[in-house]
Amino acid sequence: MPDDSANGANHFLKSFSDPDAVARYPEGPKRFVPGFDGLHRMTGVLLAEKAPRIARVLVLGAGGGLELKALADAHPHWRFVGVDPAAEMLRLAERTLGPHMDRVELVEGYIDDAPEGPFDAATCLLTLHFLAPPERERTVRQIHRRLVPGAPFVAAHGSFPQRPAERGLWLDRYAAYAVASGADPEQANAARTAVEASVQMLSPEEDEAVLRKGGFSDAQLFYSAFTWRGWVAHA
């Protein structure tokens, strides 16, 4: 597996900068991520357990605006800062959010470009798997330090067994689920190839270790669906 996270991230960042690919982006997650809409609803429920009624929420990897819209729809008193390195995806987020934009600040960049906070809650959905373990841990640590004590953090991304005998099988299931959900088989297999070649997936146990090293000692698994896992933790 390659150990250069920049190559993996840049492979996908390039597609996220293509206006035609970005226009098709909203179709993708629902086909590749089981329970995608439910993941957003669960995220809102978990954040609301600890976040105040009037909360400031950091959304890292916000491009496209799908989770921002879901959270803004469900929580009309929350305000958001959405951070993403792809300018074209942020333009899509503006269109997706529509009237919610009066409660959203969009920032082009990475975690170091995010405001210092403090934030009452944070999310990072379908994003951390693009980063190699050291940068992943550093990013989690930077999220942690921007949160008020006790604030909730929800992370969900690709995470599945990485033993050689199992990894290929899970990637096959990743593509097969997308096809079963209506994705073009050629597109699904191309996505599988890209993930295998360019993304540094970790096992769920390794991902939980990253969260602990980043400052979140109480991470709880709440979502597990084929090649995807999600955790909630508190600062």
Side-chain angles (χ1 to χ4, degrees), residues 3-58:
D3 59 7
D4 183 358
S5 67
N7 288 338
N10 288 338
H11 174 90
F12 287 89
L13 184 57
K14 183 178 179 181
S15 68
F16 293 153
S17 301
D18 176 352
D20 292 335
V22 168
R24 296 190 299 271
Y25 173 78
E27 307 167 7
K30 291 184 180 183
R31 290 177 174 167
F32 283 86
V33 183
F36 180 68
D37 291 335
L39 174 61
H40 286 166
R41 286 193 292 273
M42 287 186 285
T43 295
V45 167
L46 292 167
L47 297 185
E49 287 179 343
K50 298 291 184 180
R53 179 173 176 271
I54 300 175
R56 188 181 186 213
V57 181
L58 173 64

Side-chain angles (χ1 to χ4, degrees), residues 89-131:
M89 289 289 279
L90 291 178
R91 283 190 278 273
L92 174 60
E94 288 187 28
R95 298 192 295 272
T96 300
L97 286 160
H100 290 314
M101 275 301 298
D102 63 355
R103 293 190 283 133
V104 179
E105 175 188 356
L106 296 176
V107 177
E108 183 180 348
Y110 299 87
I111 184 59
D112 294 331
D113 301 296
E116 290 295 305
F119 290 93
D120 300 298
T123 71
C124 190
L125 304 185
L126 314 189
T127 296
L128 285 177
H129 54 226
F130 292 125
L131 305 179

